């Protein structure tokens, strides 16, 4: 097997969010479709929530990539935690005007004439302050802008518990870890998408079971683990030890070594 392939496969599992490397498995497709449907409904706000590493940022960036040609859509992947910065960015992007606070923004928004509400995607909304969240809610109340926000799970529960979020003007979509079957599809599809067929074949049922046991199907942890597994093969190559290793199957030992290295097991 060509060792360069291992370098390529390793990089497939870098922990970055790029819509080009999005893979579709049934649950993810369902979540994506619920999101598309939610956008069509007269909702004021849509919440995407889940534990870290369940694919919230990925879903948001996929949505953005798919809709950016046909819709008035804005993605803020890095939170605009400073209020003045928030209103100046939104004013610039959405209204093409200079604004630096809610009052100014609201006044200008009133006279804006959109064909349909602009979609504003805010990633990592748990980093916004309570006061800014309240202002975002006030903005969504105007129905002139539709917000899609991602939040960590506990923060969502806190937010929903708050009185002013208890109305049914929003919809929430929960993202979860993959099941064992989904995890296999995730790994194999990621590799096949990049033409790494031989490396995709290395993960048999036993290997997937071991990976699932370690990562519980969390996408970020799986990426970390897979990245390190391929890194291990590359270091075997450097140490001229590759001939001692079965390159057609990932062994439990290799998976566990990678997991130890990443601190995923103790
Ligand atoms: N559908 C998918 N297709 C391909 N890769 C994915 C998919 N979903 C998640 N990933 C991968 O898993 C990793 C974690 O996903 P992501 O960063 O979206 O999680 P998150 O829920 O936003 O986590 P956090 O709460 O820490 O921000 C990403 O680096 C991404 O590469
Ligand atoms: Mg994220």
């Amino acid at each position: 097997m060509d060792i360069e392939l291992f370098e390529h496969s390793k990089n497939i599992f870098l922990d970055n969010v790029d819509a080009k490397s999005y893979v579709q498995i049934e649950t993810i497709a369902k979540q994506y479709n619920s999101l598309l449907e939610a956008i069509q409904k007269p909702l004021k706000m849509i919440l995407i929530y889940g534990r870290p590493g369940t694919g919230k940022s990925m879903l948001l960036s996929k949505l953005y990539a798919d809709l950016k040609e046909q819709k008035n859509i804005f993605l803020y992947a890095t939170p605009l935690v400073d209020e003045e910065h928030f209103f100046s960015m939104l004013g610039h992007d959405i209204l093409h005007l200079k604004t630096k606070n809610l009052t100014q923004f609201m006044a200008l928004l009133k006279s804006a004439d959109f064909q349909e509400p602009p979609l504003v995607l805010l990633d990592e909304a748990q980093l916004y302050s309570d006061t800014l969240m309240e202002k975002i809610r006030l903005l969504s109340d105007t129905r002139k802008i539709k917000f899609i926000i991602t939040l960590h799970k506990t923060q969502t529960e806190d937010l929903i518990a708050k009185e002013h979020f208890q109305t049914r003007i929003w919809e929430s979509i929960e993202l979860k870890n993959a099941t064992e079957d989904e995890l296999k599809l995730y790994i194999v599809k990621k590799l096949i998408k990049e033409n790494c067929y031989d490396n995709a074949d290395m993960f048999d049922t036993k290997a997937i079971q071991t990976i699932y046991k370690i990562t519980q199907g969390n996408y970020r942890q799986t990426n970390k683990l897979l990245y390190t597994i391929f890194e291990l093969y590359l270091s075997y190559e450097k140490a001229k030890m590759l001939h001692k290793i079965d390159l057609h199957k990932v062994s439990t030992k290799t998976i566990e070594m990678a997991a130890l290295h990443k601190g995923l097991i103790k």
Side-chain angles (χ1 to χ4, degrees):
M1 207 184 290
D2 187 357
I3 195 73
E4 268 176 31
L5 193 64
F6 285 82
E7 179 71 34
H8 188 183
S9 295
K10 181 187 85 170
N11 292 327
I12 292 171
F13 293 98
L14 270 170
D15 191 26
N16 54 24
V17 176
D18 178 354
K20 283 198 209 79
S21 58
Y22 179 88
V23 297
Q24 191 89 287
I25 49 183
E26 206 182 319
T27 310
I28 297 178
K30 267 194 198 143
Q31 289 157 343
Y32 184 78
N33 290 334
S34 322
L35 187 54
L36 283 183
E37 278 166 26
I39 291 173
Q40 302 307 321
K41 293 181 196 165
L43 300 161
K44 293 180 186 174
M45 204 182 268
I46 299 159
L47 308 179
I48 299 169
Y49 70 106
R51 293 177 203 288
T54 48
K56 300 180 293 293
S57 299
M58 195 57 159
L59 187 65
L60 219 53
S61 89
K62 171 71 175 157
L63 183 76
Y64 177 73
D66 289 350
L67 299 185
K68 68 173 191 278
E69 306 297 335
Q70 75 231 46
K71 287 217 189 265
N72 208 7
I73 184 169
F74 307 90
L75 169 63
Y76 302 98
T78 309
L80 311 165
V81 289
D82 177 73
E83 272 195 41
E84 198 176 319
H85 187 216
F86 181 89
F87 286 105
S88 108
M89 287 294 281
L90 261 66
H92 174 271
D93 294 345
I94 298 171
L95 305 168
H96 312 292
L97 291 166
K98 279 199 164 71
T99 58
K100 51 181 184 185
N101 55 45
L102 178 72
T103 319
Q104 278 180 1
F105 189 90
M106 282 282 217
L108 294 166
L109 185 66
K110 268 207 185 94
S111 45
D113 187 20
F114 306 121
Q115 274 188 339
E116 53 179 3
L119 288 172
V120 175
L121 318 186
L122 303 177
D123 201 3
E124 309 259 11
Q126 74 277 354
L127 297 176
Y128 291 84
S129 67
D130 280 356
T131 41
L132 187 48
M133 273 315 288
E134 179 60 23
K135 288 177 182 171
I136 291 169
R137 190 190 65 85
L138 287 171
L139 278 178
S140 71
D141 276 347
T142 67
R143 291 187 183 268
K144 283 228 153 187
I145 299 180
K146 198 177 276 187
F147 287 94
I148 303 178
I149 68 176
T150 75
L151 275 175
H152 283 168
K153 192 167 175 173
T154 47
Q155 273 89 3
T156 307
E157 281 155 3
D158 289 350
L159 187 71
I160 294 171
K162 279 184 191 152
E163 211 181 315
H164 51 244
F165 275 100
Q166 280 183 353
T167 43
R168 289 201 46 87
I169 49 152
W170 46 266
E171 186 150 308
S172 60
I173 297 167
E174 182 179 7
L175 305 196
K176 287 185 173 159
N177 285 348
T179 62
E180 198 175 305
D181 289 342
E182 289 170 345
L183 193 68
K184 175 161 183 117
L185 285 172
Y186 173 73
I187 293 171
V188 168
K189 282 198 170 190
K190 269 210 150 177
L191 288 163
I192 287 180
K193 195 175 173 138
E194 294 289 326
N195 301 325
C196 298
Y197 304 101
D198 288 344
N199 286 344
D201 282 343
M202 294 169 73
F203 296 88
D204 61 5
T205 308
K206 190 162 167 239
I208 297 293
Q209 276 172 354
T210 311
I211 295 170
Y212 184 78
K213 230 161 81 193
I214 294 165
T215 67
Q216 302 293 311
N218 185 271
Y219 294 108
R220 176 164 305 119
Q221 287 184 18
T222 301
N223 283 359
K224 272 191 190 164
L225 188 57
L226 271 284
Y227 180 92
T228 315
I229 289 170
F230 289 114
E231 200 174 42
L232 268 179
Y233 283 102
L234 292 168
S235 63
Y236 293 152
E237 145 88 357
K238 270 212 184 99
K240 307 254 179 289
M241 281 164 53
L242 215 53
H243 60 281
K244 293 186 187 163
I245 287 145
D246 180 359
L247 290 181
H248 297 98
K249 218 165 88 181
V250 188
S251 69
T252 305
K253 216 168 114 187
T254 305
I255 299 169
E256 285 176 351
M257 264 176 71
L260 267 172
H261 187 74
K262 282 283 152 174
L264 294 170
I265 54 173
K266 284 189 196 104

